[in-house]
Amino acid sequence: MTTYRTDGALAVEALGDPTRRAIFELLVDGPRSVGDLADVVPISRPAVSQHLKVLHQRGLVDVRPQGTRRLYLVDPHGVEAMRAYLDQMWDSALRAFARAVETDNEKNPRKRTT
Amino acid sequence: MTTYRTDGALAVEALGDPTRRAIFELLVDGPRSVGDLADVVPISRPAVSQHLKVLHQRGLVDVRPQGTRRLYLVDPHGVEAMRAYLDQMWDSALRAFARAVETDNEKNPRKRTT
DNA sequence: ACGAACGGTAAGTTACAACTTACCAATGAG
DNA sequence: CTCATTGGTAAGTTGTAACTTACCGTTCGT
């Protein structure tokens, strides 16, 4: 009855959107301002702002106001949460996979594996 | 200019949807048939079928037809792809983060950051 | 103090994906 | 063969989230 950290799931949800993923991957390469991002991504600046808001809420990015500009950068905590979420999944998946192979062997009689 | 395995990104995209994530997490606990999943998840059986199609296309689940039933199970390859994608991201993020802290220290020499 | 640069928020539109029902194909049991 | 099970596909509806434009607040330079 696996119980995952909701953080990781929410982070995955945030990166589910292609545009948001593009923005995030740009930030992975280094901090950028909002307008800077809007110059690269083919959407309006307010749209970028909205995406950044979501990414921030999910703990994937952080902000550093610098004068009139706001510098966005990747927040390691969000990525860490995603990794934890996936690692959990990975372990359980392998166990389930092994179990499946095992019960499959029971149907095709060869040799006991328990 | 980080180039990620597209596989991993597409897998993340698939798990972006909450319902699909729920279905996938059920499968992580063990193989299930379509109707079986539909009994648990609060959507119709065709809807489950459609979600499974997406998960299959993205390499996250596999099928084993057994008579008239179709048993779905987690495909480790998809999870592996996601992990690779995230690990890439993790490394780059840490590097970018370290860089950011460094240049920040140059500006505010008095602040300690560890 | 004023204007320019930067960016967040409000409000409205719209495309799409997540659903539904209806139908059909394939397998197994009698 | 016939009937019941199981599940994929077609077609249509709809809620919502990803956009847009318009507007406003804040910070900095001159």
Side-chain angles (χ1 to χ4, degrees):
Chain A
M1 179 194 291
T2 47
T3 312
Y4 298 107
R5 301 263 325 277
T6 74
D7 265 352
L10 289 182
V12 170
E13 207 161 309
L15 290 190
D17 178 70
T19 307
R20 216 142 46 210
R21 206 168 52 245
I23 291 176
F24 185 75
E25 289 180 5
L26 282 172
L27 291 180
V28 160
D29 286 340
R32 282 178 189 259
S33 70
V34 180
D36 211 4
L37 287 168
D39 288 340
V40 180
V41 173
I43 59 178
S44 71
R45 187 192 48 70
V48 172
S49 235
Q50 290 156 12
H51 281 306
L52 287 171
K53 186 178 184 179
V54 174
L55 290 172
H56 182 62
Q57 288 170 340
R58 304 291 165 86
L60 283 165
V61 304
D62 207 356
V63 210
R64 292 195 190 173
Q66 291 189 351
T68 154
R69 318 197 337 143
R70 314 196 86 214
L71 220 57
Y72 279 87
L73 48 91
V74 169
D75 182 355
H77 295 88
V79 187
E80 166 64 24
M82 283 184 67
R83 261 171 53 107
Y85 173 71
L86 268 199
D87 280 349
Q88 261 258 19
M89 209 127 83
W90 177 252
D91 290 343
S92 303
L94 281 192
R95 265 199 297 278
F97 193 77
R99 254 201 323 273
V101 170
E102 200 170 297
T103 60
D104 190 55
N105 284 348
E106 290 175 7
K107 293 202 166 188
N108 307 23
R110 301 182 97 197
K111 170 190 163 190
R112 295 196 125 247
T113 41
T114 36
Chain B
M1 187 198 56
T2 47
T3 312
Y4 299 107
R5 299 258 330 273
T6 75
D7 267 349
L10 289 182
V12 170
E13 206 162 310
L15 290 190
D17 178 70
T19 307
R20 216 141 48 208
R21 208 168 51 244
I23 290 176
F24 185 74
E25 288 180 5
L26 282 172
L27 291 181
V28 160
D29 286 340
R32 283 178 189 259
S33 71
V34 179
D36 209 5
L37 287 168
D39 288 339
V40 179
V41 172
I43 59 176
S44 72
R45 187 190 47 70
V48 172
S49 236
Q50 290 157 9
H51 281 306
L52 287 171
K53 187 179 185 180
V54 174
L55 290 172
H56 183 62
Q57 287 171 339
R58 305 292 166 86
L60 282 166
V61 304
D62 206 355
V63 210
R64 292 193 189 172
Q66 291 189 353
T68 155
R69 318 197 337 144
R70 315 195 86 214
L71 220 56
Y72 279 86
L73 48 92
V74 171
D75 182 354
H77 295 88
V79 186
E80 166 64 24
M82 283 185 67
R83 259 170 57 107
Y85 173 70
L86 269 200
D87 280 349
Q88 261 259 19
M89 210 126 85
W90 177 250
D91 290 342
S92 303
L94 282 192
R95 262 198 299 278
F97 193 76
R99 250 198 331 268
V101 169
E102 203 169 294
T103 62
D104 190 56
N105 283 348
E106 291 174 8
K107 295 198 169 189
N108 313 23
R110 298 196 51 177
K111 276 222 166 140
R112 290 188 311 178
T113 43
T114 37

